[in-house]
Amino acid sequence: MRVDTRAHQATRTTVTPQLAQQIRLLGLTSEDLEVEVGQWLASNVMLEVDAEDADDGEVADDTGNEDAAGDLALDSNWDDSFTPMSGGAERFDSALPVAAPEPDGVVERLMRDLPVECSSARELHAAFAVLGAIDERGWLEGDLNELACSQGLPTGALIAALALIRKLAPAGFGARDLDECLRLQLDAMPDSAMVRNARALIAVGLERLAGRELLAVQRKLRLDDAAFSEALNCLRRLDPHPGRSAATGAPVLPDVVVARVDGRWTVTLSEFATPRLRINPGYASVVESGAPGSAGLRDQLQEARWLLRGLEQRADTLLKVAHAIFRRQFAFLAGGDEVLAPMMLREIAGEVGVHESTVSRVTRGKYVATPRGIYELKHFFGAGFGADCGASNTAARALVRRFIAGERPDAPLDDAAVAERLAERGIRIARRTVAKYRESLGIPPARMRAAAQPLALSA
């Protein structure tokens, strides 16, 4: 029997527990991460919430590492330094008209406007915390002090956030009860005797009006029939549930915020992406002193440091990936989906210096707040239509929607006509591809759109 004694050289990647932890953290959504952090706090005495006024997005640690997540915030004066990719400059400079946005509810509008109105990630965190506590009627549920404790924020920040939400939303939205809801709507109306009398009706008690004690209320307020009737009709015209159009479920919490600050476009992490944790200094000093019985605490200290490193790595990677995405998709901020350029995972992976699977994990279920709304980071990836075309399939789909939305009712565009219009913009795709995009948008074919038009009546 012959024994082969030749040496074989091979490269093998060993997945350590710390690396496995970091990989898993990258895939967690902000909601899942919040649950995970809660479990850490319950099981490891070395970890505690950092309640101090640290910089926005900072993950505290006693290990001496100053490269915390908040310090990695990147900003670029992209108006001066950003160079569009091949094929993108022409589309961006030509200022393509943006399709009119579809009507949306109060929550959708607030989710779009709050990232612009808030000046910091901390303010945005407070605003979304308050927004999440507003029910489908548009009323604020619970106590702001309790909400502040659960979110690790000062009550004053939530009071300011509620004031901002009320400023941006329809009058009455964010009220604590029906009385306040109606009073807020009256406060938004020009002052008049009718408005003052309507406020007096609320002060007397809506339950008395509901109980048909109208004559007694009228006498108490000493109003004549005309004034009382006018004030009562004023109340009836108010909306007791200003948030009904906003009943779309809980708001999506952004992990990244892209906003224009002092003339510069910035990409920063939100509070939801960077839980504020630190090592408990008291327990850490016990371990460092070598006191008897500190062996178990030493293990927990080591684990806590691993966890904080994992949070730092997650925040660092998420921020770098988001920054790379918007360097390539900068035109989106002005033109929306119609000017999205082709972009693949491997391109961002190469720029950031990570594997494609890492980019996939860090963009799945992570959301970015932009002046145009909140989007999943996956939204900005898409294939193109050849080397000479700078448009992505997402841009083509958006154009299909706009072309059909602008068609003449008496002459709807068929798929071939839409394909011709796309070709005029350098996007050459087959008619069947247009049909696929149209169907994905829920738009019926031209013959069905024509049949749905009302027949013109002859004079």
Side-chain angles (χ1 to χ4, degrees):
M1 182 177 65
R2 183 179 181 182
V3 179
D4 188 356
T5 59
R6 290 175 296 179
H8 296 274
Q9 184 176 2
T11 302
R12 179 179 299 176
T13 301
T14 302
V15 179
T16 64
Q18 297 94 320
L19 179 58
Q21 177 76 282
Q22 290 179 2
I23 292 173
R24 195 174 66 82
L25 288 176
L26 285 174
L28 295 179
T29 65
S30 57
E31 292 84 357
D32 293 338
L33 181 61
E34 183 179 358
V35 174
E36 185 87 0
V37 168
Q39 294 174 350
W40 295 351
L41 292 171
S43 62
N44 192 319
V45 298
M46 282 292 174
L47 287 174
E48 65 179 11
V49 175
D50 184 6
E52 297 178 2
D53 291 331
D55 292 338
D56 288 343
E58 183 177 357
V59 179
D61 188 1
D62 72 338
T63 59
N65 180 19
E66 298 180 355
D67 295 330
D71 297 329
L72 295 170
L74 305 175
D75 62 63
S76 298
N77 191 355
W78 283 339
D79 287 343
D80 298 329
S81 63
F82 181 78
T83 303
M85 295 178 63
S86 176
E90 182 178 354
R91 295 199 319 280
F92 183 66
D93 294 339
S94 63
L96 291 176
V98 179
E102 297 180 356
D104 50 20
V106 182
V107 166
E108 286 83 356
R109 294 199 300 273
L110 288 171
M111 290 169 61
R112 181 186 64 229
D113 296 341
L114 284 173
V116 182
E117 297 291 335
C118 294
S119 59
S120 68
R122 183 73 58 83
E123 288 184 14
L124 186 64
H125 180 194
F128 273 100
V130 173
L131 187 59
I134 295 176
D135 64 19
E136 68 276 2
R137 299 170 299 178
W139 295 6
L140 178 65
E141 290 186 324
D143 181 76
L144 284 182
N145 291 320
E146 296 178 358
L147 183 61
C149 291
S150 66
Q151 295 291 325
L153 293 169
T155 303
L158 298 188
I159 293 174
L162 178 59
L164 176 61
I165 288 173
R166 288 179 175 179
K167 175 184 174 182
L168 299 175
F173 188 84
R176 295 173 177 83
D177 53 36
L178 179 58
D179 284 16
E180 186 178 29
C181 179
L182 299 183
R183 282 198 301 270
L184 289 172
Q185 294 178 60
L186 291 173
D187 291 344
M189 299 170 63
D191 184 48
S192 66
M194 176 190 68
V195 171
R196 290 193 295 271
N197 290 335
R199 288 198 191 98
L201 289 180
I202 297 174
V204 169
L206 294 176
E207 66 278 358
R208 297 188 65 181
L209 298 178
R212 300 298 182 182
E213 301 179 35
L214 300 182
L215 185 58
V217 171
Q218 182 179 354
R219 288 175 178 173
K220 181 177 178 63
L221 296 178
R222 298 179 181 179
L223 297 175
D224 59 34
D225 290 347
F228 182 73
S229 177
E230 186 180 45
L232 199 59
N233 288 331
C234 176
L235 283 185
R236 287 169 176 163
R237 288 193 296 268
L238 301 179
D239 185 359
H241 300 143
R244 284 298 186 190
S245 62
T248 57
V252 174
L253 305 179
D255 303 270
V256 181
V257 179
V258 177
R260 193 176 178 88
V261 180
D262 297 331
R264 295 171 62 87
W265 285 103
T266 61
V267 180
T268 57
L269 294 180
S270 76
E271 289 282 342
F272 310 111
T274 55
R276 291 180 293 124
L277 300 179
R278 69 175 184 180
I279 301 294
N280 184 297
Y283 288 122
S285 63
V286 171
V287 174
E288 292 170 358
S289 66
S294 63
L297 289 179
R298 185 177 300 278
D299 293 339
Q300 290 206 1
L301 177 60
Q302 183 64 40
E303 180 189 48
R305 285 174 172 165
W306 287 348
L307 295 175
L308 291 182
R309 295 291 189 193
L311 287 179
E312 289 179 7
Q313 183 66 33
R314 180 183 188 275
D316 181 16
T317 306
L318 176 58
L319 186 61
K320 288 180 177 178
V321 167
H323 191 269
I325 288 173
F326 280 94
R327 282 192 63 82
R328 292 171 177 261
Q329 300 291 15
F330 177 67
F332 166 85
L333 298 173
D337 283 354
E338 294 180 13
V339 294
L340 281 177
M343 187 174 70
M344 307 302 289
L345 292 174
R346 63 176 177 273
E347 299 174 39
I348 299 300
E351 181 173 339
V352 177
V354 297
H355 194 270
E356 281 185 52
S357 62
T358 300
V359 178
S360 178
R361 288 188 185 93
V362 85
T363 55
R364 187 186 305 115
K366 314 299 190 305
Y367 292 85
V368 55
T370 75
R372 305 191 68 86
I374 296 181
Y375 297 82
E376 188 178 10
L377 287 173
K378 284 282 189 183
H379 177 81
F380 299 96
F381 293 87
F385 301 101
D388 59 344
C389 178
S392 68
N393 49 20
T394 304
R397 188 178 289 107
L399 287 169
V400 168
R401 180 196 292 275
R402 182 159 71 88
F403 290 155
I404 295 178
E407 68 187 5
R408 288 172 47 192
D410 59 340
L413 299 173
D414 60 18
D415 297 336
V418 174
E420 290 177 3
R421 292 200 175 188
L422 289 171
E424 293 173 359
R425 295 181 177 273
I427 304 175
R428 294 174 175 80
I429 58 178
R431 179 195 58 79
R432 61 180 177 275
T433 304
V434 172
K436 181 180 70 173
Y437 290 164
R438 174 181 51 73
E439 291 169 359
S440 70
L441 295 169
I443 302 174
R447 64 179 183 278
M448 294 181 64
R449 301 200 302 274
Q453 297 298 326
L455 296 176
L457 300 178
S458 57

